[in-house]
Amino acid sequence: MTTHRAVATGRSSPRALAASLLTAAAGVNIMLIEIMFVQYGAGKNLILTMSKFFALHAGLFTIFQLLLVARLPWLDRRLGMDRLTSWHRWLGFLLVWTVALHATLAVLGYAELAGSTPSQTFISLAGVPASLLGICAGTLFAVVAVLSVRPLRRRLRYEVWHLVHLTLYAALLLGIAHQLLETTTLRATTWYFAYWYSMLIIVVLALLVGRVIMPIWRNAYHRFRVAAVVPEGPGVVSIYIRGHRLDRLPAQAGQFMVWRFPDHNPWWQGNPFSLSAAPNGRSLRLTVKAVGDVSRRLQHVPLGTRVFAEGPYGAFTGRQKTASGTVLIAGGVGVTPIRALLEELTGPVTVLYRARSTSDAVLLPELRSLAQDRGAVLHLLTGRSGTDAPNHPPFSPDGLLVLVPDIIERDVFVCGPPAMTEAVVRSLHDLGLPRRQVHAERFGFA
Ligand SMILES: Cc1cc2nc3c(=O)[nH]c(=O)nc-3n(C[C@H](O)[C@H](O)[C@H](O)COP(=O)(O)OP(=O)(O)OC[C@H]3O[C@@H](n4cnc5c(N)ncnc54)[C@H](O)[C@@H]3O)c2cc1C
């Protein structure tokens, strides 16, 4: 493989800025609780002191967990929901281990104090309301963590897993009650108490606004309805949505929304679909490939059906651009946000569109005419190795260079099946593209 030097671009990445701010906020808060622990963390014996150490960290991780899924537009537009949910997943596992250590050490610590066995101590702790609340919260955390382990999660329907996941809000309330009833380090001074509970109140409010109030308000205001359903190919339709003052919806090409069609599908089935055309203030469009129950039924959604849409979400937008030129890479139905981005992005653009055959290439006529209108280059890559680059697999580093010789000076946006997306990201890395120039949308969350 040829090696290449990436050309540094001047613009900084909004993603890097948001990630740095989040890391700094985490760092400052961790430092604060370490100080709190050193000052006031001593328990009745060494084991209980260690238990308190893990309790403090579990509390802080919980606050961060809520922040990551609060759907704060500022964070979501810079980091993307896929990255935020992936961090949420890993922090979730860390939280469960921290809670488990806190609980185990608490039992062992009290057992040592009372000179009894751990099982006797556990039973007597379960008789104390403050500890019982903590035991219940910890058990719920553990159940959800076990169900979130990949082999188990894959066996559950998305909605079932999501419903189970929602029980964590009950665990959160139980955990807070446990914290308030116990004599914790957090109560050592009024300042610490105020710091901790104001942080908790802020994230809970952010969560309520981001996940409940904002979606309800937006839907009451825009009153979305299905305006047209247009077949795009076998098992693929575009659904046009109209509503009141769509020019006020802060949506950008490349973003997605979580769509519910409560008159047509059960209300609890909300599925993410990207906007397949740049928002124009008059209508929104999603293009849906039939892969399961919901997407199959959407092929026949009646005109006038009420729509409840959450979002717009996602960081797969022109906001992330750091270079003037762009490469858009689509695979299969991953073409939807790519099609919208082609409409909106300025500067030199090359589109690489991978499909099994020309007849499988959804939205191809639109892509061709858009590419022609704005002077973009479009390569349709069909067949096993891609017709345009017969000597190299199209998404190998050399294959990409054959198709776009100046790729290392451009931003690259890729959306397609997971294996293709990972292959492209790996090749771009091998070519030496800085991470800030690589933007991937995955049609699935952690
Ligand atoms: C950010 C994003 C953008 C997407 N954009 C498009 C698009 O423009 N066009 C398109 O055809 N498809 C898109 N998808 C994929 C689409 O969401 C799924 O194909 C669809 O939800 C499948 O639902 P189903 O009930 O028909 O199939 P199922 O068989 O029930 O689901 C198939 C798989 O889809 C995923 N899925 C189902 N429901 C959800 C959910 N509520 N949230 C997250 N994942 C879920 C699960 O991984 C599941 O295993 C996108 C996905 C994501 C995450």
Side-chain angles (χ1 to χ4, degrees), residues 153-154 156-159 236 256-258 268-276 286-296 333-334 336-337 415 441-445:
R153 162 122 190 236
R154 271 194 218 114
L156 293 178
R157 270 196 66 89
Y158 180 86
E159 290 82 14
V236 182
F256 68 95
M257 298 180 80
V258 176
W268 61 84
Q269 290 180 327
N271 296 56
F273 293 104
S274 302
L275 300 173
S276 63
L286 53 150
T287 300
V288 178
K289 180 174 177 171
V291 298
D293 291 351
V294 174
S295 47
R296 247 193 302 275
V333 78
T336 50
C415 182
E441 181 74 297
R442 291 170 181 85
F443 277 6
F445 300 129

mmCIF file of all heavy atoms in Angstrom, residues 153-154 156-159 236 256-258 268-276 286-296 333-334 336-337 415 441-445, ligand 1:
data_model
loop_
_atom_site.group_PDB
_atom_site.id
_atom_site.type_symbol
_atom_site.label_atom_id
_atom_site.label_comp_id
_atom_site.label_asym_id
_atom_site.label_seq_id
_atom_site.Cartn_x
_atom_site.Cartn_y
_atom_site.Cartn_z
ATOM 1 N N ARG A 153 -28.802 -9.017 24.236
ATOM 2 C CA ARG A 153 -29.516 -7.885 23.653
ATOM 3 C C ARG A 153 -30.005 -8.214 22.246
ATOM 4 O O ARG A 153 -31.097 -7.824 21.841
ATOM 5 C CB ARG A 153 -28.571 -6.671 23.639
ATOM 6 C CG ARG A 153 -29.004 -5.587 22.714
ATOM 7 C CD ARG A 153 -29.217 -4.271 23.368
ATOM 8 N NE ARG A 153 -29.843 -3.377 22.423
ATOM 9 C CZ ARG A 153 -29.349 -2.216 22.072
ATOM 10 N NH1 ARG A 153 -28.240 -1.797 22.622
ATOM 11 N NH2 ARG A 153 -29.988 -1.453 21.214
ATOM 12 N N ARG A 154 -29.167 -8.918 21.460
ATOM 13 C CA ARG A 154 -29.539 -9.258 20.085
ATOM 14 C C ARG A 154 -30.793 -10.112 20.016
ATOM 15 O O ARG A 154 -31.509 -10.097 19.027
ATOM 16 C CB ARG A 154 -28.380 -10.006 19.399
ATOM 17 C CG ARG A 154 -27.436 -9.034 18.740
ATOM 18 C CD ARG A 154 -26.481 -9.717 17.791
ATOM 19 N NE ARG A 154 -25.185 -9.061 17.922
ATOM 20 C CZ ARG A 154 -24.099 -9.627 18.398
ATOM 21 N NH1 ARG A 154 -24.110 -10.873 18.749
ATOM 22 N NH2 ARG A 154 -22.969 -8.953 18.506
ATOM 23 N N LEU A 156 -33.403 -9.811 21.964
ATOM 24 C CA LEU A 156 -34.608 -9.079 22.367
ATOM 25 C C LEU A 156 -35.039 -8.140 21.258
ATOM 26 O O LEU A 156 -34.197 -7.550 20.584
ATOM 27 C CB LEU A 156 -34.313 -8.224 23.613
ATOM 28 C CG LEU A 156 -34.005 -8.934 24.922
ATOM 29 C CD1 LEU A 156 -33.697 -7.903 25.995
ATOM 30 C CD2 LEU A 156 -35.206 -9.774 25.350
ATOM 31 N N ARG A 157 -36.356 -7.970 21.093
ATOM 32 C CA ARG A 157 -36.841 -6.939 20.179
ATOM 33 C C ARG A 157 -36.392 -5.590 20.718
ATOM 34 O O ARG A 157 -36.304 -5.389 21.930
ATOM 35 C CB ARG A 157 -38.378 -6.963 20.131
ATOM 36 C CG ARG A 157 -38.959 -7.871 19.077
ATOM 37 C CD ARG A 157 -40.430 -7.522 18.869
ATOM 38 N NE ARG A 157 -40.584 -6.182 18.306
ATOM 39 C CZ ARG A 157 -40.596 -5.913 17.011
ATOM 40 N NH1 ARG A 157 -40.506 -6.881 16.145
ATOM 41 N NH2 ARG A 157 -40.730 -4.674 16.562
ATOM 42 N N TYR A 158 -36.128 -4.641 19.802
ATOM 43 C CA TYR A 158 -35.634 -3.335 20.225
ATOM 44 C C TYR A 158 -36.552 -2.711 21.276
ATOM 45 O O TYR A 158 -36.109 -2.199 22.297
ATOM 46 C CB TYR A 158 -35.487 -2.403 19.011
ATOM 47 C CG TYR A 158 -34.984 -1.039 19.411
ATOM 48 C CD1 TYR A 158 -33.620 -0.800 19.533
ATOM 49 C CD2 TYR A 158 -35.874 -0.003 19.718
ATOM 50 C CE1 TYR A 158 -33.147 0.432 19.934
ATOM 51 C CE2 TYR A 158 -35.410 1.227 20.123
ATOM 52 C CZ TYR A 158 -34.047 1.441 20.229
ATOM 53 O OH TYR A 158 -33.594 2.661 20.643
ATOM 54 N N GLU A 159 -37.883 -2.798 21.024
ATOM 55 C CA GLU A 159 -38.844 -2.133 21.924
ATOM 56 C C GLU A 159 -38.830 -2.759 23.316
ATOM 57 O O GLU A 159 -38.972 -2.070 24.315
ATOM 58 C CB GLU A 159 -40.274 -2.207 21.376
ATOM 59 C CG GLU A 159 -40.543 -1.358 20.149
ATOM 60 C CD GLU A 159 -40.089 -2.031 18.861
ATOM 61 O OE1 GLU A 159 -39.814 -3.267 18.886
ATOM 62 O OE2 GLU A 159 -39.991 -1.337 17.836
ATOM 63 N N VAL A 236 -38.832 -0.119 -1.095
ATOM 64 C CA VAL A 236 -38.345 1.193 -0.610
ATOM 65 C C VAL A 236 -39.341 2.279 -1.020
ATOM 66 O O VAL A 236 -39.740 2.345 -2.186
ATOM 67 C CB VAL A 236 -36.952 1.552 -1.189
ATOM 68 C CG1 VAL A 236 -36.460 2.877 -0.621
ATOM 69 C CG2 VAL A 236 -35.932 0.455 -0.924
ATOM 70 N N PHE A 256 -31.221 12.919 11.353
ATOM 71 C CA PHE A 256 -32.324 11.965 11.331
ATOM 72 C C PHE A 256 -33.324 12.350 12.411
ATOM 73 O O PHE A 256 -33.046 13.188 13.272
ATOM 74 C CB PHE A 256 -31.808 10.536 11.565
ATOM 75 C CG PHE A 256 -31.277 10.299 12.957
ATOM 76 C CD1 PHE A 256 -32.073 9.765 13.948
ATOM 77 C CD2 PHE A 256 -29.971 10.638 13.283
ATOM 78 C CE1 PHE A 256 -31.585 9.557 15.228
ATOM 79 C CE2 PHE A 256 -29.467 10.436 14.564
ATOM 80 C CZ PHE A 256 -30.278 9.899 15.544
ATOM 81 N N MET A 257 -34.501 11.743 12.333
ATOM 82 C CA MET A 257 -35.496 11.937 13.394
ATOM 83 C C MET A 257 -36.021 10.561 13.796
ATOM 84 O O MET A 257 -35.881 9.596 13.045
ATOM 85 C CB MET A 257 -36.639 12.832 12.899
ATOM 86 C CG MET A 257 -36.143 14.228 12.507
ATOM 87 S SD MET A 257 -37.426 15.352 11.923
ATOM 88 C CE MET A 257 -38.165 15.920 13.443
ATOM 89 N N VAL A 258 -36.597 10.483 14.987
ATOM 90 C CA VAL A 258 -37.221 9.221 15.409
ATOM 91 C C VAL A 258 -38.716 9.386 15.123
ATOM 92 O O VAL A 258 -39.362 10.284 15.653
ATOM 93 C CB VAL A 258 -36.948 8.939 16.904
ATOM 94 C CG1 VAL A 258 -37.687 7.685 17.357
ATOM 95 C CG2 VAL A 258 -35.447 8.780 17.135
ATOM 96 N N TRP A 268 -45.699 2.863 20.519
ATOM 97 C CA TRP A 268 -44.402 2.673 21.171
ATOM 98 C C TRP A 268 -43.295 2.351 20.157
ATOM 99 O O TRP A 268 -42.143 2.277 20.508
ATOM 100 C CB TRP A 268 -44.496 1.605 22.257
ATOM 101 C CG TRP A 268 -44.885 0.242 21.764
ATOM 102 C CD1 TRP A 268 -44.056 -0.707 21.241
ATOM 103 C CD2 TRP A 268 -46.195 -0.313 21.732
ATOM 104 N NE1 TRP A 268 -44.759 -1.807 20.892
ATOM 105 C CE2 TRP A 268 -46.088 -1.603 21.188
ATOM 106 C CE3 TRP A 268 -47.451 0.166 22.119
ATOM 107 C CZ2 TRP A 268 -47.187 -2.423 21.009
ATOM 108 C CZ3 TRP A 268 -48.545 -0.663 21.943
ATOM 109 C CH2 TRP A 268 -48.408 -1.928 21.403
ATOM 110 N N GLN A 269 -43.689 2.139 18.890
ATOM 111 C CA GLN A 269 -42.647 1.854 17.903
ATOM 112 C C GLN A 269 -42.161 3.139 17.258
ATOM 113 O O GLN A 269 -42.803 3.704 16.376
ATOM 114 C CB GLN A 269 -43.191 0.894 16.847
ATOM 115 C CG GLN A 269 -43.405 -0.488 17.428
ATOM 116 C CD GLN A 269 -43.931 -1.488 16.437
ATOM 117 O OE1 GLN A 269 -44.695 -1.144 15.539
ATOM 118 N NE2 GLN A 269 -43.552 -2.733 16.606
ATOM 119 N N GLY A 270 -41.042 3.641 17.743
ATOM 120 C CA GLY A 270 -40.441 4.859 17.191
ATOM 121 C C GLY A 270 -39.126 4.462 16.541
ATOM 122 O O GLY A 270 -38.281 3.877 17.206
ATOM 123 N N ASN A 271 -38.979 4.730 15.246
ATOM 124 C CA ASN A 271 -37.776 4.267 14.538
ATOM 125 C C ASN A 271 -37.015 5.435 13.923
ATOM 126 O O ASN A 271 -37.614 6.362 13.396
ATOM 127 C CB ASN A 271 -38.181 3.300 13.422
ATOM 128 C CG ASN A 271 -38.810 2.055 13.986
ATOM 129 O OD1 ASN A 271 -39.793 2.129 14.724
ATOM 130 N ND2 ASN A 271 -38.264 0.905 13.685
ATOM 131 N N PRO A 272 -35.682 5.355 13.975
ATOM 132 C CA PRO A 272 -34.899 6.443 13.400
ATOM 133 C C PRO A 272 -34.793 6.306 11.875
ATOM 134 O O PRO A 272 -34.471 5.229 11.372
ATOM 135 C CB PRO A 272 -33.513 6.247 14.048
ATOM 136 C CG PRO A 272 -33.457 4.820 14.471
ATOM 137 C CD PRO A 272 -34.853 4.310 14.615
ATOM 138 N N PHE A 273 -35.107 7.373 11.166
ATOM 139 C CA PHE A 273 -34.881 7.436 9.717
ATOM 140 C C PHE A 273 -34.298 8.807 9.396
ATOM 141 O O PHE A 273 -34.768 9.827 9.903
ATOM 142 C CB PHE A 273 -36.194 7.240 8.935
ATOM 143 C CG PHE A 273 -36.770 5.849 9.072
ATOM 144 C CD1 PHE A 273 -37.860 5.618 9.899
ATOM 145 C CD2 PHE A 273 -36.198 4.771 8.408
ATOM 146 C CE1 PHE A 273 -38.380 4.336 10.054
ATOM 147 C CE2 PHE A 273 -36.712 3.484 8.569
ATOM 148 C CZ PHE A 273 -37.804 3.263 9.385
ATOM 149 N N SER A 274 -33.288 8.802 8.529
ATOM 150 C CA SER A 274 -32.628 10.061 8.159
ATOM 151 C C SER A 274 -33.524 10.878 7.238
ATOM 152 O O SER A 274 -34.380 10.324 6.545
ATOM 153 C CB SER A 274 -31.337 9.758 7.408
ATOM 154 O OG SER A 274 -30.506 8.974 8.209
ATOM 155 N N LEU A 275 -33.270 12.174 7.203
ATOM 156 C CA LEU A 275 -33.938 13.019 6.213
ATOM 157 C C LEU A 275 -33.245 12.724 4.887
ATOM 158 O O LEU A 275 -32.015 12.838 4.796
ATOM 159 C CB LEU A 275 -33.777 14.494 6.584
ATOM 160 C CG LEU A 275 -34.377 14.867 7.945
ATOM 161 C CD1 LEU A 275 -34.033 16.299 8.316
ATOM 162 C CD2 LEU A 275 -35.895 14.669 7.938
ATOM 163 N N SER A 276 -34.021 12.331 3.878
ATOM 164 C CA SER A 276 -33.371 11.940 2.621
ATOM 165 C C SER A 276 -33.349 13.085 1.615
ATOM 166 O O SER A 276 -32.973 12.902 0.464
ATOM 167 C CB SER A 276 -34.054 10.707 2.028
ATOM 168 O OG SER A 276 -35.393 11.004 1.708
ATOM 169 N N LEU A 286 -38.477 11.247 4.319
ATOM 170 C CA LEU A 286 -37.680 10.110 4.766
ATOM 171 C C LEU A 286 -37.844 9.003 3.732
ATOM 172 O O LEU A 286 -38.877 8.926 3.062
ATOM 173 C CB LEU A 286 -38.100 9.622 6.156
ATOM 174 C CG LEU A 286 -39.547 9.285 6.427
ATOM 175 C CD1 LEU A 286 -39.633 8.200 7.481
ATOM 176 C CD2 LEU A 286 -40.261 10.518 6.923
ATOM 177 N N THR A 287 -36.804 8.196 3.559
ATOM 178 C CA THR A 287 -36.865 7.099 2.589
ATOM 179 C C THR A 287 -36.614 5.813 3.353
ATOM 180 O O THR A 287 -35.583 5.679 4.020
ATOM 181 C CB THR A 287 -35.831 7.324 1.468
ATOM 182 O OG1 THR A 287 -36.141 8.566 0.837
ATOM 183 C CG2 THR A 287 -35.862 6.202 0.446
ATOM 184 N N VAL A 288 -37.600 4.907 3.290
ATOM 185 C CA VAL A 288 -37.603 3.758 4.191
ATOM 186 C C VAL A 288 -37.457 2.450 3.419
ATOM 187 O O VAL A 288 -38.237 2.168 2.509
ATOM 188 C CB VAL A 288 -38.946 3.719 4.976
ATOM 189 C CG1 VAL A 288 -39.004 2.514 5.900
ATOM 190 C CG2 VAL A 288 -39.123 5.010 5.762
ATOM 191 N N LYS A 289 -36.462 1.670 3.807
ATOM 192 C CA LYS A 289 -36.299 0.337 3.217
ATOM 193 C C LYS A 289 -36.970 -0.679 4.131
ATOM 194 O O LYS A 289 -36.764 -0.649 5.357
ATOM 195 C CB LYS A 289 -34.810 0.026 3.089
ATOM 196 C CG LYS A 289 -34.559 -1.320 2.492
ATOM 197 C CD LYS A 289 -33.112 -1.537 2.244
ATOM 198 C CE LYS A 289 -32.940 -2.952 1.703
ATOM 199 N NZ LYS A 289 -31.631 -3.220 1.246
ATOM 200 N N ALA A 290 -37.774 -1.580 3.566
ATOM 201 C CA ALA A 290 -38.489 -2.582 4.376
ATOM 202 C C ALA A 290 -37.513 -3.647 4.836
ATOM 203 O O ALA A 290 -36.970 -4.391 4.018
ATOM 204 C CB ALA A 290 -39.606 -3.205 3.539
ATOM 205 N N VAL A 291 -37.267 -3.691 6.160
ATOM 206 C CA VAL A 291 -36.395 -4.741 6.699
ATOM 207 C C VAL A 291 -37.072 -5.522 7.828
ATOM 208 O O VAL A 291 -36.669 -6.621 8.147
ATOM 209 C CB VAL A 291 -35.041 -4.169 7.222
ATOM 210 C CG1 VAL A 291 -34.247 -3.530 6.112
ATOM 211 C CG2 VAL A 291 -35.259 -3.188 8.366
ATOM 212 N N GLY A 292 -38.091 -4.931 8.438
ATOM 213 C CA GLY A 292 -38.768 -5.588 9.565
ATOM 214 C C GLY A 292 -40.208 -5.110 9.611
ATOM 215 O O GLY A 292 -40.697 -4.476 8.673
ATOM 216 N N ASP A 293 -40.885 -5.383 10.734
ATOM 217 C CA ASP A 293 -42.327 -5.092 10.848
ATOM 218 C C ASP A 293 -42.670 -3.638 10.536
ATOM 219 O O ASP A 293 -43.513 -3.342 9.708
ATOM 220 C CB ASP A 293 -42.802 -5.380 12.282
ATOM 221 C CG ASP A 293 -42.781 -6.870 12.561
ATOM 222 O OD1 ASP A 293 -42.564 -7.625 11.587
ATOM 223 O OD2 ASP A 293 -42.958 -7.251 13.744
ATOM 224 N N VAL A 294 -42.005 -2.725 11.253
ATOM 225 C CA VAL A 294 -42.379 -1.307 11.142
ATOM 226 C C VAL A 294 -42.090 -0.792 9.739
ATOM 227 O O VAL A 294 -42.953 -0.186 9.087
ATOM 228 C CB VAL A 294 -41.610 -0.462 12.187
ATOM 229 C CG1 VAL A 294 -41.867 1.012 11.980
ATOM 230 C CG2 VAL A 294 -42.006 -0.881 13.593
ATOM 231 N N SER A 295 -40.887 -1.032 9.266
ATOM 232 C CA SER A 295 -40.508 -0.478 7.962
ATOM 233 C C SER A 295 -41.334 -1.113 6.838
ATOM 234 O O SER A 295 -41.601 -0.458 5.828
ATOM 235 C CB SER A 295 -39.009 -0.650 7.724
ATOM 236 O OG SER A 295 -38.606 -1.957 8.031
ATOM 237 N N ARG A 296 -41.760 -2.359 7.019
ATOM 238 C CA ARG A 296 -42.616 -2.993 5.999
ATOM 239 C C ARG A 296 -43.982 -2.318 5.970
ATOM 240 O O ARG A 296 -44.499 -1.992 4.919
ATOM 241 C CB ARG A 296 -42.785 -4.480 6.296
ATOM 242 C CG ARG A 296 -42.117 -5.349 5.231
ATOM 243 C CD ARG A 296 -42.529 -6.803 5.317
ATOM 244 N NE ARG A 296 -42.235 -7.400 6.601
ATOM 245 C CZ ARG A 296 -41.059 -7.919 6.934
ATOM 246 N NH1 ARG A 296 -40.063 -7.895 6.068
ATOM 247 N NH2 ARG A 296 -40.861 -8.449 8.116
ATOM 248 N N VAL A 333 -29.100 1.581 1.509
ATOM 249 C CA VAL A 333 -30.041 2.627 1.937
ATOM 250 C C VAL A 333 -29.333 3.730 2.743
ATOM 251 O O VAL A 333 -29.918 4.786 3.015
ATOM 252 C CB VAL A 333 -31.239 2.005 2.700
ATOM 253 C CG1 VAL A 333 -30.856 1.656 4.132
ATOM 254 C CG2 VAL A 333 -32.442 2.932 2.673
ATOM 255 N N GLY A 334 -28.061 3.519 3.052
ATOM 256 C CA GLY A 334 -27.232 4.565 3.675
ATOM 257 C C GLY A 334 -27.096 5.784 2.776
ATOM 258 O O GLY A 334 -26.524 6.801 3.173
ATOM 259 N N THR A 336 -29.440 7.700 2.060
ATOM 260 C CA THR A 336 -30.429 8.743 2.403
ATOM 261 C C THR A 336 -29.789 10.032 2.944
ATOM 262 O O THR A 336 -30.026 11.102 2.376
ATOM 263 C CB THR A 336 -31.505 8.197 3.371
ATOM 264 O OG1 THR A 336 -30.857 7.553 4.454
ATOM 265 C CG2 THR A 336 -32.456 7.241 2.687
ATOM 266 N N PRO A 337 -28.955 9.975 4.019
ATOM 267 C CA PRO A 337 -28.372 11.241 4.469
ATOM 268 C C PRO A 337 -27.351 11.799 3.487
ATOM 269 O O PRO A 337 -27.135 13.008 3.412
ATOM 270 C CB PRO A 337 -27.700 10.875 5.802
ATOM 271 C CG PRO A 337 -27.460 9.418 5.745
ATOM 272 C CD PRO A 337 -28.541 8.842 4.882
ATOM 273 N N CYS A 415 -21.813 6.543 5.030
ATOM 274 C CA CYS A 415 -22.986 5.915 5.648
ATOM 275 C C CYS A 415 -23.362 4.690 4.825
ATOM 276 O O CYS A 415 -23.618 4.795 3.627
ATOM 277 C CB CYS A 415 -24.157 6.905 5.683
ATOM 278 S SG CYS A 415 -25.597 6.207 6.495
ATOM 279 N N GLU A 441 -21.922 7.765 9.809
ATOM 280 C CA GLU A 441 -23.246 7.573 10.437
ATOM 281 C C GLU A 441 -23.545 6.093 10.405
ATOM 282 O O GLU A 441 -23.434 5.444 9.362
ATOM 283 C CB GLU A 441 -24.311 8.336 9.638
ATOM 284 C CG GLU A 441 -25.716 8.238 10.202
ATOM 285 C CD GLU A 441 -25.927 9.071 11.470
ATOM 286 O OE1 GLU A 441 -25.249 8.773 12.490
ATOM 287 O OE2 GLU A 441 -26.741 10.000 11.435
ATOM 288 N N ARG A 442 -23.863 5.535 11.583
ATOM 289 C CA ARG A 442 -24.176 4.105 11.637
ATOM 290 C C ARG A 442 -25.675 3.954 11.846
ATOM 291 O O ARG A 442 -26.225 4.604 12.724
ATOM 292 C CB ARG A 442 -23.396 3.437 12.777
ATOM 293 C CG ARG A 442 -21.919 3.406 12.449
ATOM 294 C CD ARG A 442 -21.036 2.997 13.594
ATOM 295 N NE ARG A 442 -19.641 3.016 13.177
ATOM 296 C CZ ARG A 442 -18.850 4.088 13.187
ATOM 297 N NH1 ARG A 442 -19.330 5.246 13.589
ATOM 298 N NH2 ARG A 442 -17.596 4.021 12.770
ATOM 299 N N PHE A 443 -26.311 3.100 11.019
ATOM 300 C CA PHE A 443 -27.758 2.918 11.132
ATOM 301 C C PHE A 443 -28.074 1.965 12.286
ATOM 302 O O PHE A 443 -28.735 0.934 12.120
ATOM 303 C CB PHE A 443 -28.341 2.411 9.809
ATOM 304 C CG PHE A 443 -28.621 3.507 8.807
ATOM 305 C CD1 PHE A 443 -28.236 4.812 9.055
ATOM 306 C CD2 PHE A 443 -29.285 3.241 7.619
ATOM 307 C CE1 PHE A 443 -28.498 5.829 8.153
ATOM 308 C CE2 PHE A 443 -29.556 4.252 6.702
ATOM 309 C CZ PHE A 443 -29.156 5.547 6.970
ATOM 310 N N GLY A 444 -27.588 2.269 13.466
ATOM 311 C CA GLY A 444 -27.860 1.463 14.649
ATOM 312 C C GLY A 444 -27.154 2.112 15.819
ATOM 313 O O GLY A 444 -26.115 2.744 15.625
ATOM 314 N N PHE A 445 -27.734 1.978 17.020
ATOM 315 C CA PHE A 445 -27.112 2.571 18.204
ATOM 316 C C PHE A 445 -26.448 1.489 19.031
ATOM 317 O O PHE A 445 -26.757 0.314 18.894
ATOM 318 C CB PHE A 445 -28.152 3.311 19.047
ATOM 319 C CG PHE A 445 -28.820 4.419 18.286
ATOM 320 C CD1 PHE A 445 -30.201 4.501 18.251
ATOM 321 C CD2 PHE A 445 -28.066 5.358 17.603
ATOM 322 C CE1 PHE A 445 -30.815 5.514 17.527
ATOM 323 C CE2 PHE A 445 -28.675 6.368 16.882
ATOM 324 C CZ PHE A 445 -30.059 6.446 16.848
HETATM 325 C C1 LIG B 1 -29.481 7.187 12.814
HETATM 326 C C2 LIG B 1 -30.231 6.183 11.950
HETATM 327 C C3 LIG B 1 -30.712 6.560 10.705
HETATM 328 C C4 LIG B 1 -31.385 5.639 9.910
HETATM 329 N N1 LIG B 1 -31.849 6.043 8.682
HETATM 330 C C5 LIG B 1 -32.501 5.167 7.890
HETATM 331 C C6 LIG B 1 -33.013 5.566 6.606
HETATM 332 O O1 LIG B 1 -32.888 6.722 6.200
HETATM 333 N N2 LIG B 1 -33.671 4.640 5.870
HETATM 334 C C7 LIG B 1 -33.833 3.340 6.303
HETATM 335 O O2 LIG B 1 -34.460 2.549 5.587
HETATM 336 N N3 LIG B 1 -33.353 2.940 7.501
HETATM 337 C C8 LIG B 1 -32.702 3.809 8.302
HETATM 338 N N4 LIG B 1 -32.232 3.397 9.536
HETATM 339 C C9 LIG B 1 -32.468 2.015 9.958
HETATM 340 C C10 LIG B 1 -33.887 1.893 10.484
HETATM 341 O O3 LIG B 1 -34.038 2.643 11.675
HETATM 342 C C11 LIG B 1 -34.226 0.438 10.815
HETATM 343 O O4 LIG B 1 -34.084 -0.309 9.634
HETATM 344 C C12 LIG B 1 -35.635 0.334 11.294
HETATM 345 O O5 LIG B 1 -35.775 0.972 12.535
HETATM 346 C C13 LIG B 1 -36.008 -1.127 11.374
HETATM 347 O O6 LIG B 1 -37.220 -1.282 12.084
HETATM 348 P P1 LIG B 1 -38.184 -2.518 11.786
HETATM 349 O O7 LIG B 1 -39.147 -2.639 12.901
HETATM 350 O O8 LIG B 1 -38.753 -2.410 10.419
HETATM 351 O O9 LIG B 1 -37.227 -3.753 11.764
HETATM 352 P P2 LIG B 1 -36.738 -4.629 12.988
HETATM 353 O O10 LIG B 1 -36.471 -5.990 12.429
HETATM 354 O O11 LIG B 1 -37.613 -4.501 14.165
HETATM 355 O O12 LIG B 1 -35.388 -3.896 13.312
HETATM 356 C C14 LIG B 1 -34.223 -4.164 12.578
HETATM 357 C C15 LIG B 1 -33.076 -3.537 13.334
HETATM 358 O O13 LIG B 1 -33.234 -2.112 13.305
HETATM 359 C C16 LIG B 1 -32.832 -1.555 14.545
HETATM 360 N N5 LIG B 1 -33.933 -0.801 15.166
HETATM 361 C C17 LIG B 1 -35.244 -1.128 15.205
HETATM 362 N N6 LIG B 1 -35.928 -0.198 15.853
HETATM 363 C C18 LIG B 1 -35.035 0.736 16.240
HETATM 364 C C19 LIG B 1 -35.109 1.950 16.972
HETATM 365 N N7 LIG B 1 -36.282 2.396 17.435
HETATM 366 N N8 LIG B 1 -33.997 2.639 17.202
HETATM 367 C C20 LIG B 1 -32.800 2.188 16.749
HETATM 368 N N9 LIG B 1 -32.647 1.071 16.038
HETATM 369 C C21 LIG B 1 -33.749 0.349 15.796
HETATM 370 C C22 LIG B 1 -32.412 -2.673 15.458
HETATM 371 O O14 LIG B 1 -31.003 -2.788 15.425
HETATM 372 C C23 LIG B 1 -33.038 -3.871 14.833
HETATM 373 O O15 LIG B 1 -32.284 -5.029 15.073
HETATM 374 C C24 LIG B 1 -31.580 4.307 10.356
HETATM 375 C C25 LIG B 1 -31.100 3.935 11.624
HETATM 376 C C26 LIG B 1 -30.431 4.854 12.405
HETATM 377 C C27 LIG B 1 -29.939 4.443 13.769
#
